[in-house]
Amino acid sequence: MIERYTRPEMAKIWEAENRFRIWLDIELLAMEAMVEKGWIPADALARVRKRARFDIKQIDEIEKKVKHDVIAFLTSVSEHIGDDSRFLHVGMTSSDVLDTSFAVQMRQALTGLIHEAKAVFEVLRKRALEHKGTVMIGRTHGIHAEPVTFGLKMALWADEMRRNIVRLRRARDVISVGKLSGAVGTFASIDPFVEEYVCRKLGLSPAPVSTQIVQRDRHAEVFSTLAIVGSSLDKFATEIRHLQRTEVLEVEEFFSRGQKGSSAMPHKRNPVLSENISGLSRLLRGYAVTAMENVALWHERDISHSSAERVIAPDATIVLDFALARFRGLMENLLVYPDRMKKNLERTRGLMYSQRVLLALAAKGLSREKAYEVVQKSAMEAWRGEKELSSLLWKDREVRAQLTREEFDDLFDIRYYLKSIDAIFDRVFVRKGGTA
């Protein structure tokens, strides 16, 4: 477990109190279904509802002896309800309670994660609109390419978070499946009506077919979804880490008064929040691998998945909840430096305009290969020296032969690269409704 990273709301989902409360709800709903069918007396259910309760310390003590958590729970509850306990857990097996409860807990956790992911989308939308026109250099392979805007980068992230919200909603649907089909899933000692009744009351769907357990391909899909969301955060955080490098310094994590970046070097201001998020994303990918390992179980069940899930379920949901909240706070307070972006744009002395000149020469009749050769020659000279690409190109006879000075100068207008930004924002924030 990772107690230092827990957020109380998410952590409570995995605490014993919530787990046992859901177990008791399942047992009582099963009795309720049986009463509706006339299989057990209604007055027994009334008495059980009045008396049913559990004692966590007592359950822990009983489990030390019996080595079985569900039996320990039922023993504790039975001591409170007395003789009517014979109507409890009728025809059910432990996994009926465990897997159905697990589905409820995962549904609760995913609902919380969806809420936090929507908050991340909203802050990205806000920063995208704020910096829609903040021009910066785009980079491919880490090398200067052509201009973009910081707002466009944020719009890209927002759109990805919208997809992640869709994934989380789908994952919530996938995991919202319960089962009360008995020892090997054949309903030999319990009627399918009970399963349908209990699942409906809990907001779940009954598994169309099960063994003693709900099949773990569902869980593997959910944990893979959590890993994908974490990987998106890793992608965003990695970009921030690059943009905060001293040589780049186009954005910077907020550095609060009194904060210290290094025990040795007083000048340090490190992207520690982003680095933390990148690290946590590695845990999430590891949990997804474990969940996939849990798919293959022996025959109608074994419990090799159980011990792993007791770790990865609370850990993965708490880690992602924390990472989403941390990233949201990081983005809300992120410092953006447009002047530095402008300075970096100018560092390569106009090389970012090379494609425009290439296309213009080709449009005038030069072969693409010849136009590329002409532009690359001046571009390589600009890389090596301190001269502007435009001045080098205008000295080239081929260029002057094809282009007027006015046509040539127009090729170095940065607004050319930004002409479709509004259309892209319309796609992301208007056509899709502007929300997640």
Side-chain angles (χ1 to χ4, degrees):
M1 296 294 182
I2 50 167
E3 283 185 31
R4 57 185 287 192
Y5 290 138
T6 60
R7 297 180 69 223
E9 299 83 356
M10 187 62 71
K12 285 181 179 178
I13 292 171
W14 303 105
E15 290 176 358
E17 175 67 34
N18 188 53
R19 181 172 73 254
F20 292 143
R21 177 57 55 192
I22 298 169
W23 289 11
L24 186 56
D25 287 343
I26 292 168
E27 296 287 355
L28 295 177
L29 286 171
M31 285 186 65
E32 193 175 291
M34 293 177 192
V35 167
E36 188 163 316
K37 285 293 187 179
W39 297 330
I40 63 174
D43 59 340
L45 174 60
R47 290 191 297 271
V48 169
R49 283 199 175 282
K50 185 177 180 179
R51 299 170 182 168
R53 60 184 57 86
F54 54 83
D55 184 304
I56 295 175
K57 289 184 178 180
Q58 183 186 36
I59 292 171
D60 290 342
E61 287 301 314
I62 296 170
E63 187 178 355
K64 289 177 183 178
K65 179 179 180 181
V66 302
K67 307 295 192 294
H68 196 292
D69 52 357
V70 176
I71 291 174
F73 166 78
L74 291 171
T75 301
S76 177
V77 174
S78 296
E79 288 187 9
H80 289 95
I81 64 178
D83 291 342
D84 288 323
S85 62
R86 67 185 185 277
F87 300 117
L88 208 62
H89 205 66
V90 175
M92 295 165 60
T93 187
S94 298
S95 290
D96 291 332
V97 177
L98 292 170
D99 275 11
T100 304
S101 170
F102 192 27
V104 174
Q105 288 176 287
M106 287 299 293
R107 184 177 177 84
Q108 291 173 341
L110 284 160
T111 297
L113 292 172
I114 291 167
H115 176 80
E116 195 59 59
K118 289 171 71 174
V120 169
F121 170 86
E122 186 55 35
V123 72
L124 289 173
R125 185 190 68 84
K126 181 179 178 182
R127 297 312 302 258
L129 294 173
E130 178 187 356
H131 290 285
K132 182 179 179 181
T134 303
V135 185
M136 64 184 298
I137 192 65
R139 296 173 173 90
T140 59
H141 306 275
I143 307 301
H144 283 209
E146 292 184 347
V148 295
T149 74
F150 188 67
L152 182 63
K153 194 183 293 286
M154 296 298 96
L156 181 84
W157 294 2
D159 196 45
E160 186 164 339
M161 279 309 301
R162 181 190 276 121
R163 292 195 298 277
N164 283 328
I165 292 164
V166 172
R167 291 183 181 107
L168 289 168
R169 286 172 174 154
R170 184 167 59 241
R172 184 173 60 182
D173 290 341
V174 166
I175 204 63
S176 294
V177 171
K179 62 86 63 181
L180 283 85
S181 54
V184 289
T186 61
F187 295 100
S189 300
I190 191 169
D191 192 274
F193 172 79
V194 178
E195 179 183 75
E196 293 168 2
Y197 184 94
V198 173
C199 287
R200 184 174 70 253
K201 290 285 188 176
L202 292 173
L204 307 176
S205 299
V209 58
S210 63
T211 58
Q212 193 171 102
I213 61 169
V214 173
Q215 300 307 288
R216 258 44 192 181
D217 62 291
R218 294 181 178 276
H219 302 71
E221 182 175 345
V222 171
F223 284 98
S224 295
T225 296
L226 303 186
I228 290 170
V229 179
S231 294
S232 290
L233 297 180
D234 188 10
K235 165 186 170 179
F236 307 156
T238 299
E239 180 72 3
I240 291 168
R241 290 165 63 190
H242 168 73
L243 295 178
Q244 187 169 332
R245 290 171 56 215
T246 307
E247 296 83 356
V248 180
L249 201 56
E250 294 177 354
V251 304
E252 186 179 24
E253 291 183 7
F254 178 73
F255 198 81
S256 61
R257 185 177 181 85
Q259 183 176 343
K260 293 177 173 60
S262 167
S263 62
M265 296 170 283
H267 72 277
K268 295 283 280 177
R269 292 161 65 106
N270 302 324
V272 292
L273 301 180
S274 299
E275 290 171 344
N276 178 248
I277 290 167
S278 289
L280 292 177
S281 72
R282 297 167 191 168
L283 287 174
L284 293 168
R285 290 190 284 271
Y287 299 144
V289 172
T290 301
M292 285 185 273
E293 295 284 349
N294 285 344
V295 174
L297 302 175
W298 286 18
H299 307 300
E300 276 59 58
R301 84 156 301 187
D302 64 54
I303 63 166
S304 59
H305 66 287
S306 177
S307 56
E309 286 172 351
R310 290 172 192 242
V311 175
I312 68 173
D315 277 18
T317 53
I318 289 169
V319 163
L320 183 55
D321 185 53
F322 175 84
L324 285 165
R326 169 147 288 188
F327 181 70
R328 173 169 53 83
L330 187 165
M331 291 307 303
E332 286 172 343
N333 297 298
L334 186 71
L335 303 175
V336 180
Y337 300 130
D339 289 344
R340 181 71 175 203
M341 292 176 177
K342 184 175 183 296
K343 183 176 181 180
N344 285 339
L345 271 170
E346 297 167 351
R347 286 186 64 183
T348 55
R349 298 172 296 282
L351 287 176
M352 62 188 178
Y353 297 103
S354 68
Q355 182 180 197
R356 282 214 73 192
V357 182
L358 164 67
L359 295 176
L361 292 174
K364 289 290 186 176
L366 289 185
S367 70
R368 183 178 178 86
E369 291 75 15
K370 180 60 177 178
Y372 195 104
E373 179 185 328
V374 168
V375 177
Q376 188 183 43
K377 178 183 176 183
S378 292
M380 293 303 100
E381 188 175 346
W383 268 115
R384 290 189 297 268
E386 296 294 330
K387 296 181 179 180
E388 290 288 324
L389 177 64
S390 59
S391 64
L392 292 169
L393 280 169
W394 190 243
K395 292 177 182 178
D396 192 290
R397 292 180 181 179
E398 292 278 9
V399 174
R400 292 200 306 274
Q402 302 296 330
L403 299 168
T404 68
R405 184 69 203 215
E406 184 179 0
E407 289 173 329
F408 180 78
D409 289 343
D410 186 57
L411 299 177
F412 295 84
D413 185 348
I414 199 168
R415 291 174 296 181
Y416 171 84
Y417 298 95
L418 310 178
K419 62 181 182 293
S420 295
I421 297 295
D422 285 340
I424 297 170
F425 269 64
D426 181 70
R427 283 179 173 182
V428 176
F429 298 118
V430 179
R431 295 187 198 178
K432 292 188 176 181
T435 63

